[in-house]
Amino acid sequence: MRSWSSPAVPDLSDHGTGTPPRVYDSSRRGLAVLGPGLVDSARADDPHAPAGLYVCGITPYDATHMGHAATYVTFDVLHRVLLDGGRPVRYAQNITDVDDPLLERAERDGIDWRDLAAREIALFGDDMAALRVIAPGGYCGVVESMDSIAAGVRQLLDSGAAYEVPADDAQAPGSADVYLDLARCPRFGEVSGWTREQMLEVYADRGGDPDRAGKRDPLDPLLWRAARAGEPSWEAAGLPAGRPGWHIECTCIAVDHLGTAFDVQGGGIDLVFPHHEMSGVQAESLYGAGSFARVYMHQEMVGLDGSKMSKSKGNLVLVSTLRAEGVDPMAIRLVLLDHHYRTPWDWTADALQSAQQRLAAWRAGVETVSADQAQRLLVDVRELLSDDLDTPAALAAVDACMLARDGDGSGARLARETVDALLGVEL
Ligand code: 5CA
Ligand code: ZN
């Protein structure tokens, strides 16, 4: 899939490099340093060893709301901090372009699911480009990854890690769905740290089917759904015609692009269970222990009027709506950055207005920044971002620099490049 075009990222290496960031790893329930030795201890001394970053992409409808935008901007800041530390970043992202919610929305709106996906993927790309999010080098939909995903399911079946459950004969005569056998996954539960009770409480709401008859464990996740009348299906890897379950797409697309054992799998906190839990254990069933992400990072939920912004509730503020109203995308980006990724928050019109004022003040103030002030700003922003991506504190540091207005302008260029390279805000 063609991704959007990336913004140019100013090179700050004449001014030293940033340090490897410390970030919160949901699976450790604590902080981890994203240094080169994290994945490959043999390369612990090589500061230029590439970092592998996989961020779960959209299910293409109702894109791009502020919750999506917050998630992708958070990982964009991480991407920028890693680059500033001198590490090339291999960044991959999927698109869930076949799944129940997409098919249901297409049906509801009387539109072909492929047209809905294509339209929303294009809109998402335009929004990401406007927000100056660096594009993933590997950007891949499920449809175009079908052979690889089916091969993964086939391998799980052949090794006995997965099993078949006969499909309802009226709907899919003689066919079977495929499930992962969690009893054979010793590390199941380690990503989220949740109890079975917690898992069962949300599983049905988060795409699971705990009540499906014939499963060995109610939590076993669907790997392959046999074709049903009226649903799209594919034949691959000797599997019966069907389509993949949700989690296996990210297992296979991540490993296709990053190889086994990479640095980070990211997404919103709503993905910690079941999605990241399942994609991790599926990878370990395929490739062995330690073959998936070393660190799992999650953006807290963005809400509107006290409840999570979500497609199912329909309480959405879309990036594209604000852009169409003439709102500067850099002001939207400033609203997002003004909230730490581990704090839930609500979108408000007031916050957008304050961000617009802040952006105007920065644009006026940057011309007066002295060389000393710019140097200090770079040191401060590097330090704050490497401390668990403390974007609100970084914005406060930029405020202090831009609002002083007592310099001679000799640092304007460096200040502008610092804000651009590390925060992705173009002044
Ligand atoms: N396609 C899957 C991931 S493989 C998916 O969750 N798609 S999504 O369109 O529902 O969400 C895209 C990303 O935005 C996910 O990382 C999700 O966790 C995140 N997200 C969704 N809603 C919010 C929200 N209200 N606040 C923050 N992040 C959110
Ligand atoms: Zn995913």
Side-chain angles (χ1 to χ4, degrees):
M1 185 80 65
R2 263 189 56 154
S3 60
W4 58 96
S5 56
S6 277
V9 180
D11 178 2
L12 299 172
S13 61
D14 282 353
H15 307 274
T17 53
T19 48
R22 262 184 341 151
V23 297
Y24 187 83
D25 174 8
S26 303
S27 70
R28 280 182 177 75
R29 266 70 76 190
L31 295 166
V33 177
L34 282 179
L38 185 75
V39 167
D40 182 354
S41 53
R43 301 186 76 173
D45 299 331
D46 177 5
H48 305 298
L53 172 62
Y54 182 84
V55 179
C56 284
I58 55 163
T59 304
Y61 68 97
D62 283 345
T64 309
H65 66 60
M66 291 306 163
H68 301 145
T71 291
Y72 299 112
V73 165
T74 287
F75 290 100
D76 187 55
V77 171
L78 176 67
H79 192 164
R80 289 164 181 274
V81 169
L82 291 166
L83 290 175
D84 183 55
R87 290 184 76 186
V89 176
R90 292 198 294 155
Y91 180 21
Q93 188 175 125
N94 68 308
I95 307 154
T96 308
D97 56 2
V98 196
D99 201 9
D100 293 347
L102 177 76
L103 299 175
E104 284 159 18
R105 174 57 65 94
E107 172 90 27
R108 189 199 81 175
D109 293 354
I111 174 175
D112 187 281
W113 61 274
R114 282 160 292 220
D115 295 337
L116 173 62
R119 185 187 80 199
E120 295 285 318
I121 291 167
L123 185 61
F124 175 69
D126 290 347
D127 290 336
M128 290 297 104
L131 291 171
R132 296 177 68 77
V133 171
I134 301 171
Y139 188 48
C140 218
V142 174
V143 174
E144 61 189 330
S145 310
M146 202 55 75
D147 287 341
S148 154
I149 299 170
V153 175
R154 177 84 258 162
Q155 194 179 325
L156 289 168
L157 261 177
D158 290 347
S159 71
Y163 61 96
E164 293 180 316
V165 175
D168 177 351
D169 246 16
Q171 288 192 335
S175 206
D177 301 323
V178 181
Y179 284 87
L180 184 76
D181 187 355
L182 286 174
R184 298 177 47 132
C185 298
R187 293 180 61 186
F188 176 64
E190 288 187 11
V191 172
S192 63
W194 287 17
T195 62
R196 274 187 71 85
E197 289 64 37
Q198 287 174 299
M199 293 174 178
L200 284 164
E201 207 174 302
V202 305
Y203 196 45
D205 284 342
R206 296 188 180 183
D209 55 357
D211 300 325
R212 169 72 195 271
K215 281 168 58 169
R216 294 178 186 168
D217 180 328
L219 292 171
D220 286 348
L222 178 71
L223 293 169
W224 191 258
R225 175 175 162 85
R228 308 297 203 271
E231 291 185 11
S233 63
W234 290 261
E235 274 178 58
L239 293 172
R243 61 184 166 94
W246 175 24
H247 318 299
I248 191 68
E249 78 188 59
C250 285
T251 304
C252 295
I253 293 174
V255 172
D256 283 350
H257 289 275
L258 303 177
T260 54
F262 53 91
D263 293 74
V264 177
Q265 183 176 23
I269 191 79
D270 56 340
L271 298 189
V272 68
F273 183 85
H275 186 55
H276 289 175
E277 191 77 65
M278 300 301 187
S279 36
V281 291
Q282 287 168 175
E284 298 206 333
S285 300
L286 282 166
Y287 306 111
S291 58
F292 210 57
R294 292 297 160 88
V295 162
Y296 291 82
M297 284 179 67
H298 295 108
Q299 163 72 44
E300 269 293 346
M301 290 293 105
V302 178
L304 189 68
D305 303 326
S307 57
K308 173 190 165 184
M309 198 177 284
S310 75
K311 305 191 252 210
S312 47
K313 289 204 198 78
N315 58 341
L316 307 175
V317 177
L318 300 180
V319 173
S320 53
T321 310
L322 297 185
R323 283 171 52 219
E325 288 168 4
V327 173
D328 188 325
M330 293 299 94
I332 300 173
R333 189 161 171 128
L334 281 182
V335 177
L336 306 173
L337 294 173
D338 206 17
H339 298 88
H340 190 259
Y341 77 97
R342 289 207 283 130
T343 307
W345 56 280
D346 275 5
W347 176 270
T348 64
D350 283 353
L352 179 60
Q353 204 177 9
S354 304
Q356 285 166 317
Q357 286 161 3
R358 178 179 242 165
L359 184 63
W362 287 12
R363 283 182 173 150
V366 70
E367 302 304 335
T368 68
V369 174
S370 71
D372 279 357
Q373 287 170 328
Q375 272 298 340
R376 205 172 324 124
L377 178 68
L378 174 57
V379 170
D380 288 350
V381 172
R382 274 181 169 153
E383 193 178 308
L384 292 164
L385 294 183
S386 70
D387 181 12
D388 199 20
L389 308 184
D390 194 348
T391 53
L395 297 202
V398 181
D399 280 342
C401 177
M402 302 293 180
L403 304 183
R405 307 257 181 126
D406 54 4
D408 59 5
S410 56
R413 180 175 166 172
L414 177 59
R416 195 177 271 115
E417 288 183 348
T418 296
V419 172
D420 186 350
L422 292 168
L423 294 167
V425 176
E426 189 179 37
L427 296 182

